[in-house]
Amino acid sequence: MRALSIIPALVSVPAMAQTSQRTRNIALNWNRAVAAERSAKQAMEQFYRDTIQPVLDAFRAGEASMREAVEAEDSERAWIDAYEAAAKRLVETPAPNLEAVVAKLRIGNRYYMFNSEPDPDLLLEKIADEIMLLSSKA
């Protein structure tokens, strides 16, 4: 199975004379949410590389205890929570185009943000509305 790319893209913010303030705000808010998601992901990955990976490598080499390895992995929880919060904010941000909607669906699915039992998920309902709105503009 190939890995799906879920790197959301920044969009160009249209000039005021070319579009409505609402459309411009959607693009600006999307770009802010993308930047926050990327920043949180980079921080989480760097923490893993700099703090956790060396302990796990030492454990594999017999130079660190199991307890140290587990504590190192447990220390990542706050970074994971921060990333998941940023990803959730991105998924909740109105999408400026269909490509952004696809990124939202992939991120939401990857991080188990959708729960359709027993009632339809409100977040999925909002995304479906966005698809309808964006596809009518195409």
Side-chain angles (χ1 to χ4, degrees):
M1 183 171 111
R2 73 178 178 87
L4 295 176
S5 172
I6 57 168
I7 300 171
L10 292 170
V11 297
S12 62
V13 178
M16 281 301 297
Q18 297 174 344
T19 188
S20 71
Q21 182 66 36
R22 181 180 181 281
T23 301
R24 184 173 166 76
N25 286 341
I26 288 172
L28 286 169
N29 290 335
W30 175 258
N31 287 346
R32 287 182 190 115
V34 167
E37 186 268 348
R38 286 181 182 176
S39 177
K41 187 170 188 171
Q42 288 171 351
M44 177 181 67
E45 290 171 346
Q46 183 169 349
F47 179 80
Y48 185 89
R49 280 190 310 272
D50 295 348
T51 305
I52 297 171
Q53 192 63 55
V55 176
L56 297 179
D57 291 344
F59 172 71
R60 286 187 198 97
E63 299 166 357
S65 69
M66 172 69 92
R67 182 177 178 200
E68 290 170 311
V70 169
E71 287 174 357
E73 286 185 330
D74 289 347
S75 71
E76 188 180 25
R77 183 77 258 164
W79 296 92
I80 292 170
D81 291 346
Y83 172 72
E84 287 177 351
K88 187 171 196 293
R89 283 190 301 274
L90 177 66
V91 170
E92 292 171 344
T93 299
N97 56 38
L98 289 173
E99 180 183 354
V101 173
V102 171
K104 289 169 58 154
L105 288 169
R106 287 182 175 165
I107 289 170
N109 189 50
R110 169 103 17 115
Y111 294 99
Y112 307 102
M113 292 179 194
F114 308 129
N115 177 11
S116 296
E117 295 180 29
D119 299 317
D121 188 288
L122 295 177
L123 191 51
L124 282 175
E125 292 290 324
K126 283 178 62 177
I127 292 172
D129 291 343
E130 285 180 309
I131 293 169
M132 293 299 293
L133 178 66
L134 291 167
S135 64
S136 69
K137 292 180 181 178

